[in-house]
Amino acid sequence: MAYAAFRSIGAYIPPKIMTNFDFEKIIDTTDEWITKRTGIKERRISEENEASSDLGAKAAQQAIERSGLAKEDIDLVICATVTPDYLCMPSTACLIASKINLPPVQAFDVSAACTGFVYAVSVAKAFIESGMKKNVLIVGAETYSSILDYTDRGTCFIFGDGAGAAIISASENKDEAIVDVNCSSDGNYDDLIKTPGGGSKHPCSQEVLDNKMACIKMKGNETFKLAVRTLTADVKVMMEKHNLTNKDINHFIPHQANMRIIKSVGDALGFNEEQTVVTIDKYGNTSAASIPMAMNYAYEQGKIKAGDSILFDAFGGGLTWGSALFPFAPLK
Ligand code: UT7
C-alpha cells in the first residue's frame, strides 16, 4: 500500500492591508474592541481584478516549486474554497490548474468552509492510499472580501483574503505517512454561518441583492461557543486514538478564527505558545486558506523542520470540523 506524505507548503499573501483603523471609518467599532475580542489587527484584501483562482495559483506555484516535483507529476488538483471564482462552474481547481499551466489533469473543488483544507487533506490521502493518484496539489483559496457586507459590524472585520497550498505524494516509507485525518459535519447547525441567497434555495433576484443575501451571515457568539467545544473534543479524540500527549506534537496549527478560541482550545489541550501557530493578528480569518497560510508562516520563520509532527484543527460553516495529524515529509 502507498502511504500519503505531506511534502511541501506554500502561500500567497495579498499585499493590500486593511487595518482595524480602516474599519473604524466604515462601521461603529474600535481597534481596541476588535483586538480584545478577536486578536485581529489587520487582514489582507485582494485586488479588484483578483479572484480566488489567482490567489490559489500563486500559492500552488510556490508549493510545487518547494516540493521538488515537476508540474507534469501532478495528477490531481483539489481546491478548498467557499468563495469560488464562479458560483457553479467552472470549478476554481480547474482554473488554478490552467493558470499554472498543468497538462490536462483531474481537478475539482471541495466545499467545507473553514474546514475545507483539512477535508482536502483527507481526500488527497484517500486517493493516494487507494493507488489512484501519486502527487496531489491541494489549495485553500479565499476572497472573503467578495462576500462580506461591509455594513455588518458583527462579521465584516473578521475575515480576510489569501491562499495556501500543499503537495501530498505517494511514499513507500511509513515514517512519512499522514497518520490520520478525521472530518465530520452537522447540517442541523446550518443557520450559524450561511450565505442565504444566490444558490438554488434563493436564486439571484432583486430581493437577494437588496438584502445582501449573497453575503455571509454569521451568528458569531453561538458559533464561538460551539467552536471551542468542538475543536477541543476533536483533538482529544485524535490524540487518544493515537496514544499521544501534547508533548508529542511539535506544531499545533488551529483554524485562525479568533484568538480567544485559539487560546481556550490550546489551554484545554495543554499546548504552549511555542507549539501553537498564530497568524490571526496579521491575516484575520481566511477560512479554507487559514491553516495552510499559518503553516506557511511557521515554515518561512524556519520553525517547521523535516520530521516535525503537525496537528491541524479546523471548524467552520456547515457546520464542519476536522483534524489532521502528520509528519512534515519534504523530498529535499
Ligand atoms: O471561521 C468560522 C468560525 N467562526 C468563528 O469561529 C467566529 C466566532 N465568533 C467570534 O469570533 C465572536 O463571536 C465575534 C468576534 C464575532 C463577536 O464577539 P462576541 O464576544 O461574541 O460579541 P457579541 O456578538 O456577543 O457582541 C458583544 C457586544 C454587543 O454589544 P452589547 O449588546 O453587549 O451592548 C455587540 O453589539 O459587542 C457589540 N459588537 C461590537 N462592538 C464594537 C458587535 N460587533 C462589534 C464591533 N465593534 N465590530
Side-chain angles (χ1 to χ4, degrees), residues 245-254 266 269-278 311:
T245 72
N246 45 36
K247 296 193 177 55
D248 298 310
I249 304 297
N250 296 111
H251 310 283
F252 174 52
I253 309 184
L269 297 166
F271 290 118
N272 61 35
E273 273 180 34
E274 197 49 38
Q275 284 167 299
T276 308
V277 180
V278 174
L311 181 61

Side-chain angles (χ1 to χ4, degrees), residues 27-30 33-34 37-38 114 152-155 157-159 193 218-225 227 255-258 260-261 285 287 315-317:
I27 52 168
D28 178 15
T29 195
T30 59
W33 190 93
I34 297 175
R37 291 280 169 152
T38 67
C114 304
D152 177 358
R153 76 195 275 261
T155 303
F157 60 89
I158 296 169
F159 295 95
I193 315 175
M218 182 172 74
K219 294 179 183 163
N221 201 268
E222 288 168 59
T223 308
F224 184 101
K225 289 174 196 153
H255 170 48
Q256 309 285 310
N258 184 313
R260 288 187 294 139
I261 298 178
N285 178 347
S287 196
F315 177 89

Side-chain angles (χ1 to χ4, degrees), residues 185-222:
S185 74
D186 187 346
N188 287 309
Y189 293 100
D190 64 328
D191 262 353
L192 291 190
I193 315 175
K194 190 176 232 173
T195 49
S200 57
K201 178 100 173 161
H202 296 292
C204 196
S205 64
Q206 196 55 50
E207 186 205 352
V208 166
L209 293 176
D210 290 346
N211 296 323
K212 298 185 177 164
M213 289 166 68
C215 290
I216 182 171
K217 315 278 178 203
M218 182 172 74
K219 294 179 183 163
N221 201 268
E222 288 168 59

Side-chain angles (χ1 to χ4, degrees), residues 74-79 93 96-97 102 105-108 136-137 139:
I74 307 293
D75 51 9
L76 176 62
V77 179
I78 304 171
C79 180
I96 290 172
L102 293 190
V105 63
Q106 182 174 355
F108 59 88
V136 185
L137 166 64
V139 184

Side-chain angles (χ1 to χ4, degrees), residues 60-78:
Q61 192 79 42
Q62 189 173 57
I64 294 171
E65 277 161 25
R66 286 178 177 167
S67 75
L69 295 171
K71 281 182 185 170
E72 294 68 30
D73 297 329
I74 307 293
D75 51 9
L76 176 62
V77 179
I78 304 171

